[in-house]
Amino acid sequence: MTFSSTWHHLLENIEELAQDAMLVTPLSRKAFGVTDVQEYRILIRYRDDDETIPLQRDQFETLFRRIEDAQGEFELDRLPPNAEPYAAVLSLHPRYEVDDHKGTLTKSETPTGSPLVEAQEDTDDADKEREEPDVAVYSDALLLIDALERHDVTTPEDVETPALVNLYTLLSDVQRNANDLRQDVRSVLLDRLHHDQPVSGQFGSVQRMSRRNRSLKDDELVLNAFESAGIDRERLTTVDSSKVDEALDVTELSESDVYEVEETEYVRKADVDEEEKETRLQGLKDRLAETEGEEANELREEIEELEERIGELTEFRTGRSFHESATGG
């Protein structure tokens, strides 16, 4: 297939898009829409920006050639700066597909599914039916919210001991279950983030990072390695990292000769949009305040039922009351 036929097929597909259709750049996950289609360029605009950006035909052809040179599988991290929209738009062609997990733009011999992403704000979910998620932190969070609304924790010294025990228990449960869920989410994100490229969401952004952990190898192995490099064993009778690092500086030994080096990948919170969080939180408060009728009653009953379920675990009892109940006194 020539680029000319690919280009015109691509333009035809773009012209069929809905006016409010949104795409997302494959690495940085920035939402944008197509504003105009012309013979030699495509005009786009990022959702949070008023500037119109032209995507030139000859640049699409360059990307087309690079995919061909890569035997049909082009690594997205090889894209020049600000070139992500080209990959996203090209993937509207039925023969090209962005693979988020592999970080590639791939040419296929068979038509691929639509890559179009309706990048709507989370606030648009208000019209959808909401269901209780089957995760432990959800129930704990509901109970914690209810407890925080009933007790003024800005002055915890004025709160009664049983209430403080309840709060502490719920805070511990939320922390533990939230961390378990965070690790599950992190594991999935590690497969989707590529080469330290920040990815933004509504409330902030994250990026993939690398961490190196090293530990000394067996003492005898370390001592033998330095002895062969001209360092007396007596200087390292007790092997510790500070002495080892000093010795490394004056020998030709490499770090891997004496250290077990392990590199791990992790996700780090890169930024938090506090203003967006406040706006979203206020919206949730307003909606809760406006909730009336059967839905409100069901929510209150659900919270009360959850509270009763953990009441026995969180209820404060003195040693004496426990002894009396155990002895029937």
Side-chain angles (χ1 to χ4, degrees):
M1 180 182 295
T2 65
F3 174 72
S4 180
S5 61
T6 298
W7 173 250
H8 288 98
H9 196 167
L10 177 63
L11 295 185
E12 291 173 1
N13 282 9
I14 296 174
E15 288 175 341
E16 294 176 359
L17 294 177
Q19 186 174 2
D20 59 349
M22 302 295 291
L23 292 95
V24 174
T25 55
L27 297 179
S28 58
R29 309 303 295 174
K30 295 177 63 177
F32 68 93
V34 176
T35 61
D36 194 14
V37 176
Q38 301 174 2
E39 181 62 27
Y40 294 102
R41 64 179 186 173
I42 298 167
L43 303 182
I44 68 167
R45 181 182 298 128
Y46 286 104
R47 184 171 56 193
D48 300 324
D49 196 342
D50 295 331
E51 181 184 1
T52 297
I53 300 173
L55 304 182
Q56 304 294 343
R57 181 186 188 277
D58 58 351
Q59 296 300 317
F60 278 102
E61 184 171 6
T62 298
L63 179 58
F64 172 87
R65 303 297 178 198
R66 295 183 70 177
I67 297 172
E68 294 292 321
D69 294 341
Q71 284 76 51
E73 187 171 279
F74 179 77
E75 295 181 2
L76 292 170
D77 64 338
R78 295 172 56 197
L79 287 170
N82 303 319
E84 284 187 61
Y86 284 90
V89 172
L90 184 58
S91 68
L92 290 172
H93 190 286
R95 300 292 184 183
Y96 293 89
E97 182 177 25
V98 168
D99 188 322
D100 289 328
H101 297 283
K102 295 174 62 177
T104 59
L105 177 59
T106 305
K107 180 181 180 181
S108 173
E109 295 302 322
T110 58
T112 62
S114 173
L116 193 63
V117 176
E118 291 290 348
Q120 303 295 331
E121 295 283 0
D122 289 347
T123 50
D124 292 341
D125 293 338
D127 296 333
K128 299 179 181 178
E129 184 178 352
R130 303 183 64 165
E131 298 181 358
E132 178 180 342
D134 186 20
V135 289
V137 70
Y138 178 77
S139 299
D140 294 330
L142 279 179
L143 290 171
L144 179 59
I145 291 171
D146 180 60
L148 291 173
E149 289 176 345
R150 290 187 288 107
H151 304 288
D152 184 8
V153 295
T154 58
T155 54
E157 61 274 8
D158 296 333
V159 181
E160 296 182 355
T161 301
L164 287 176
V165 173
N166 288 344
L167 284 167
Y168 188 85
T169 302
L170 291 172
L171 287 165
S172 297
D173 289 344
V174 168
Q175 180 185 37
R176 181 185 66 253
N177 292 323
N179 190 57
D180 289 343
L181 181 58
R182 184 179 68 90
Q183 292 182 19
D184 292 341
V185 172
R186 178 182 63 189
S187 178
V188 176
L189 278 174
L190 280 173
D191 292 334
R192 300 185 182 181
L193 305 182
H194 304 284
H195 304 281
D196 301 340
Q197 176 68 47
V199 176
S200 299
Q202 183 182 2
F203 299 127
S205 61
V206 298
Q207 64 186 106
R208 182 172 182 148
M209 304 292 292
S210 296
R211 179 188 291 119
R212 295 177 73 249
N213 299 311
R214 66 179 192 172
S215 59
L216 282 170
K217 295 182 179 181
D218 179 76
D219 285 3
E220 192 63 28
L221 190 153
V222 173
L223 291 171
N224 288 338
F226 278 111
E227 189 173 36
S228 65
I231 301 295
D232 293 337
R233 295 174 67 93
E234 288 74 15
R235 292 183 58 185
L236 297 168
T237 301
T238 301
V239 178
D240 65 57
S241 58
S242 61
K243 293 182 179 179
V244 168
D245 288 341
E246 290 175 3
L248 279 176
D249 291 338
V250 296
T251 69
E252 296 183 356
L253 290 175
S254 67
E255 182 184 50
S256 61
D257 288 330
V258 294
Y259 280 105
E260 298 286 357
V261 180
E262 178 185 5
E263 185 167 312
T264 59
E265 303 287 343
Y266 66 100
V267 175
R268 183 186 70 181
K269 181 172 65 177
D271 182 44
V272 176
D273 191 332
E274 296 293 347
E275 184 176 349
E276 179 65 32
K277 287 175 64 179
E278 286 294 330
T279 300
R280 175 64 168 168
L281 183 59
Q282 186 58 51
L284 292 174
K285 290 180 179 178
D286 293 342
R287 286 171 53 193
L288 183 60
E290 295 171 358
T291 303
E292 298 178 355
E294 184 177 349
E295 181 181 354
N297 293 332
E298 290 178 355
L299 179 59
R300 294 189 186 95
E301 290 174 2
E302 180 182 327
I303 293 175
E304 291 173 0
E305 181 181 349
L306 289 170
E307 189 171 27
E308 290 174 1
R309 274 162 41 190
I310 70 165
E312 294 182 0
L313 296 176
T314 59
E315 183 180 3
F316 176 79
R317 306 174 68 184
T318 64
R320 178 173 178 174
S321 66
F322 179 83
H323 175 74
E324 290 175 350
S325 64
T327 58

